[in-house]
Amino acid sequence: MAGILTCAASVLIFSMLGIKAAKYIPGSVKEYMTLLLSVLCFLVAITSIQKAADLMPVALALCVGGILGSWLQLTKKISTAAWAAAQKIDRLPFGRKKCTDPEIFQRNFVSVMTVICLSGAGIMGSLTAGTSSDQSMLFVKALLDAPVAFFFGEKLGAVVGSLAIPEILILSVLYLASGLLAPYLTAEAVGNLYACGGAVILASAFSMAGIREFSGANLIPGMIFVIPFSLLL
């Protein structure tokens, strides 16, 4: 669990540092870093998608998951809840009002949430740590989370630090369930899981870069279906 806690600590600490450093960072640098992080998300997504063993179960999982997520309005519910939480957190002593446009906030928050909570490194790192006690992938993820939390903490405020909570919950569940899931984590299933996670991050990267609005969080249920579909198809 040390790797999971390190990831959460990285998000919390660097988001707070981003808030404190905001007044020292020129506006042009802030804008450039947002675009740079978008490019990095594209790279992570493409690298993950290339690990797919078979695109059929990945595509089917994304279609079924996307339809379910759209029906449940996951993106809208998550972003609305995050905006309400941000208003309360910003009133606290350590909070600071950052983004006043709810549309911009919600678009960026959903994007950073998928990167921090649903990256392939976090998912596979937790499963690997649970089955083999190798937590190296989680420590690498903690390093990758740092710049994301720093610059989005500066942009969105202290609510970015609160992502440490769902991150701990998601990764801990995977860590504890890794023993039960191990028999089903074939090389093909793992590759397809990476690809499905990459597709979710890719959708968020389009929104983050301002290229195209895409409700990336609606694809999250697809990550539940991709392993069963990989085993069945």
Side-chain angles (χ1 to χ4, degrees):
M1 295 289 284
I4 296 174
L5 295 176
T6 302
C7 290
S10 175
V11 171
L12 182 60
I13 293 171
F14 280 91
S15 63
M16 294 298 107
L17 290 175
I19 294 173
K20 295 297 183 182
K23 60 183 178 181
Y24 303 109
I25 304 175
S28 58
V29 174
K30 296 176 184 178
E31 183 178 354
Y32 179 77
M33 289 308 302
T34 299
L35 294 175
L36 179 58
L37 289 173
S38 302
V39 172
L40 293 177
C41 287
F42 278 114
L43 290 175
V44 170
I46 293 170
T47 302
S48 298
I49 292 171
Q50 288 178 332
K51 296 181 180 181
D54 185 354
L55 285 178
M56 179 62 73
V58 176
L60 184 58
L62 289 171
C63 288
V64 174
I67 292 171
L68 179 59
S70 297
W71 179 64
L72 294 173
Q73 295 185 311
L74 285 182
T75 298
K76 181 179 179 181
K77 290 178 180 177
I78 291 172
S79 59
T80 301
W83 176 252
Q87 306 312 298
K88 296 180 180 179
I89 292 174
D90 287 339
R91 298 191 191 103
L92 298 176
F94 57 82
R96 181 179 296 176
K97 193 71 173 179
K98 300 305 296 179
C99 184
T100 57
D101 187 326
E103 184 178 346
I104 294 176
F105 172 88
Q106 292 169 4
R107 180 182 69 224
N108 283 279
F109 182 84
V110 170
S111 298
V112 72
M113 181 201 71
T114 57
V115 172
I116 289 176
C117 298
L118 299 172
S119 69
I123 293 172
M124 294 312 305
S126 299
L127 294 173
T128 302
T131 54
S132 67
S133 299
D134 180 3
Q135 303 195 54
S136 58
M137 195 179 299
L138 289 173
F139 291 127
V140 171
K141 181 186 184 303
L143 292 175
L144 297 175
D145 283 347
V148 176
F150 182 88
F151 284 100
F152 278 96
E154 178 279 324
K155 187 172 186 177
L156 303 180
V159 70
V160 173
S162 69
L163 286 172
I165 298 174
E167 182 181 37
I168 286 177
L169 292 176
I170 293 171
L171 299 187
S172 295
V173 168
L174 292 171
Y175 176 85
L176 295 173
S178 59
L180 296 174
L181 294 174
Y184 309 103
L185 296 177
T186 63
E188 292 78 10
V190 169
N192 291 341
L193 180 61
Y194 260 113
C196 194
V200 176
I201 293 176
L202 180 64
S204 298
F206 277 106
S207 297
M208 190 185 300
I211 298 173
R212 174 77 176 179
E213 291 300 317
F214 200 108
S215 300
N218 286 346
L219 296 175
I220 292 174
M223 300 185 70
I224 299 174
F225 295 110
V226 67
I227 291 180
F229 288 168
S230 297
L231 297 173
L232 292 173
L233 298 178

